[in-house]
Amino acid sequence: MLRDVFQSMRARRLLRATPQLLVKQFSSLPSYTPAQVDWALKKSLGKLPNHRYLAYALFCDKEDFLQVTGESLHTWESCRRQLGRALFAGRSDFTMREVIQLAEHEAEYESSH
């Protein structure tokens, strides 16, 4: 349970600034490359976080995730499930469009409070 709380906090942290930077720099795409994600993470967080597998699972497609991490399909699915639980009411089939919409919604909510 505590692990889920930390994963949720990490997922929300990734959602705060990274999608806006990706869209601003590279336009709205169906997915981003690991190099683009690394650039946005460095720009928004000042460094590459230890939990960047979650960022790759959130912003990259499955093939890029598998290639850059060298991990198995099981790891991709596990990361997507964790992100789905944290951000999308348990759905792991979310799209980049939904990620960007959620990021925009979160930004609007934060600015109004």
Side-chain angles (χ1 to χ4, degrees):
M1 174 134 158
L2 190 57
R3 179 181 155 174
D4 287 342
V5 170
F6 284 121
Q7 294 295 30
S8 180
M9 289 169 45
R10 289 177 179 143
R12 295 230 175 261
R13 185 174 182 204
L14 290 171
L15 198 64
R16 272 192 213 111
T18 313
Q20 295 88 339
L21 285 171
L22 287 167
V23 170
K24 185 176 180 180
Q25 184 70 24
F26 306 108
S27 77
S28 183
L29 301 171
S31 65
Y32 295 92
T33 68
Q36 291 169 327
V37 173
D38 285 347
W39 175 86
L41 290 171
K42 287 177 192 173
K43 191 87 168 161
S44 65
L45 303 176
K47 63 179 181 169
L48 289 176
N50 292 335
H51 56 278
R52 67 181 170 270
Y53 279 22
L54 286 178
Y56 296 146
L58 188 60
F59 303 115
C60 299
D61 66 21
K62 179 173 38 177
E63 290 75 24
D64 280 342
F65 175 90
L66 296 173
Q67 184 177 18
V68 75
T69 64
E71 292 289 337
S72 68
L73 183 59
H74 174 75
T75 303
W76 161 261
E77 291 168 348
S78 175
C79 287
R80 295 285 290 195
R81 279 193 305 273
Q82 290 172 30
L83 291 163
R85 281 193 305 269
L87 303 172
F88 297 100
R91 285 185 38 249
S92 62
D93 63 343
F94 53 86
T95 65
M96 180 53 54
R97 182 182 186 107
E98 290 172 306
V99 171
I100 292 168
Q101 287 173 342
L102 181 59
E104 290 170 351
H105 176 73
E106 295 268 328
E108 287 173 14
Y109 178 79
E110 284 184 15
S111 69
S112 68
H113 285 89

